[in-house]
Amino acid sequence: MSASKPLIGISTYLERTRFGFWDVEAAVLYRGYLDCVVQAGGNPVMLPPVGTWTAETIGFLDGLVIAGGADIDPATYGADPHPMTGEPRPDRDATEFALVEAALKLDLPVLGVCRGMQVLNVALGGTLHQHIEGHNEAPGVFGHTDITVLPGTQLHAILGDHTNVQCHHHQSLDRIADGLRVTAQAPDGTVEAVEMEGARFVVGVQSHPEQDIEDLRLFEALVGVARRKA
């Protein structure tokens, strides 16, 4: 590890993508994640949903971001699909569950973003509400929500009592997995953040901090802990 530039892995997804002369399937990621990691003092490493991801294969990393994206297959938490639930992406589900398991085994700092927070909850045995209203204005349009942060939490030390976040989701946490603690909520009671009790830094947020390059507090917190890799 470089003391000045921790390596932060970020999960990616496979999509049909056009660039140059090509129209092919590619591993892609919204650039905001990369820019936020760099501006926070880290070096980003893109992790595709192919290959084998274990504690041994990600041991070179200093931290991990599970990125936002498609709905998790409800079969992974023992539920039937809701009519509004998107098509399952088993490649990504399997990869990100494996990344979470490996990161926890290594005690790597983890930041779960939107879907990433849901992955963290499901990977540890929790469940999801498959459809809620009021947190997804329109496809590709981020809404704004004021959230209240619970005192005495890692998130409170980073964000304070209240903050305004950007959101774009139609699912949310239902039953909270053992070991996770709810640390923030929206005005309607939607769970906006969780963290793992006893971990150096395992934080999930339902919002999209990568959308605001001017507010790097969460990414700076992740990179700061990663710099002190155990």
Side-chain angles (χ1 to χ4, degrees):
M1 179 189 74
S2 167
S4 61
K5 295 288 184 180
L7 296 176
I8 307 298
I10 311 172
S11 63
T12 68
Y13 36 100
L14 299 178
E15 298 289 350
R16 195 78 184 180
T17 307
R18 297 182 64 182
F19 52 95
F21 299 105
W22 311 109
D23 183 354
V24 297
E25 192 171 62
V28 300
L29 178 71
Y30 175 71
R31 180 174 171 170
Y33 290 99
L34 307 176
D35 291 338
C36 284
V37 167
V38 170
Q39 292 300 315
N43 268 339
V45 179
M46 294 172 62
L47 307 175
V50 296
T52 301
W53 300 106
T54 65
E56 290 72 28
T57 59
I58 70 165
F60 69 98
L61 295 176
D62 303 304
L64 176 68
V65 176
I66 302 295
D71 295 340
I72 299 169
D73 186 350
T76 61
Y77 49 92
D80 295 325
H82 185 281
M84 297 296 290
T85 297
E87 286 295 316
R89 304 294 294 269
D91 56 345
R92 191 170 179 194
D93 289 350
T95 292
E96 291 179 345
F97 290 155
L99 285 170
V100 166
E101 179 182 357
L104 295 181
K105 183 179 293 186
L106 293 169
D107 195 26
L108 291 182
V110 177
L111 175 62
V113 173
C114 195
R115 169 193 159 93
M117 181 177 81
Q118 297 169 7
V119 166
L120 180 63
N121 191 54
V122 173
L124 295 174
T127 64
L128 304 178
H129 293 294
Q130 292 187 54
H131 186 69
I132 63 171
E133 300 288 347
H135 292 259
N136 187 351
E137 293 187 6
V141 178
F142 287 85
H144 289 264
T145 301
D146 290 315
I147 66 171
T148 301
V149 184
L150 188 68
T153 63
Q154 288 181 305
L155 193 67
H156 188 271
I158 299 165
L159 300 180
D161 293 326
H162 304 278
T163 194
N164 185 269
V165 298
Q166 296 194 50
C167 60
H168 188 286
H169 64 98
H170 80 109
Q171 299 194 335
S172 66
L173 269 57
D174 183 10
R175 188 180 73 247
I176 306 302
D178 291 344
L180 293 183
R181 176 187 186 187
V182 174
T183 59
Q185 291 182 303
D188 65 0
T190 298
V191 175
E192 285 289 337
V194 294
E195 62 188 49
M196 176 169 283
E197 298 176 312
R200 288 195 303 144
F201 188 95
V202 176
V203 172
V205 293
Q206 188 59 70
S207 57
H208 283 270
E210 83 286 353
Q211 292 297 315
D212 187 359
I213 195 69
E214 300 302 318
D215 185 355
L216 295 170
R217 289 176 291 175
L218 281 166
F219 285 94
E220 287 173 342
L222 173 74
V223 172
V225 177
R227 189 171 282 121
R228 304 187 296 272
K229 183 177 180 180

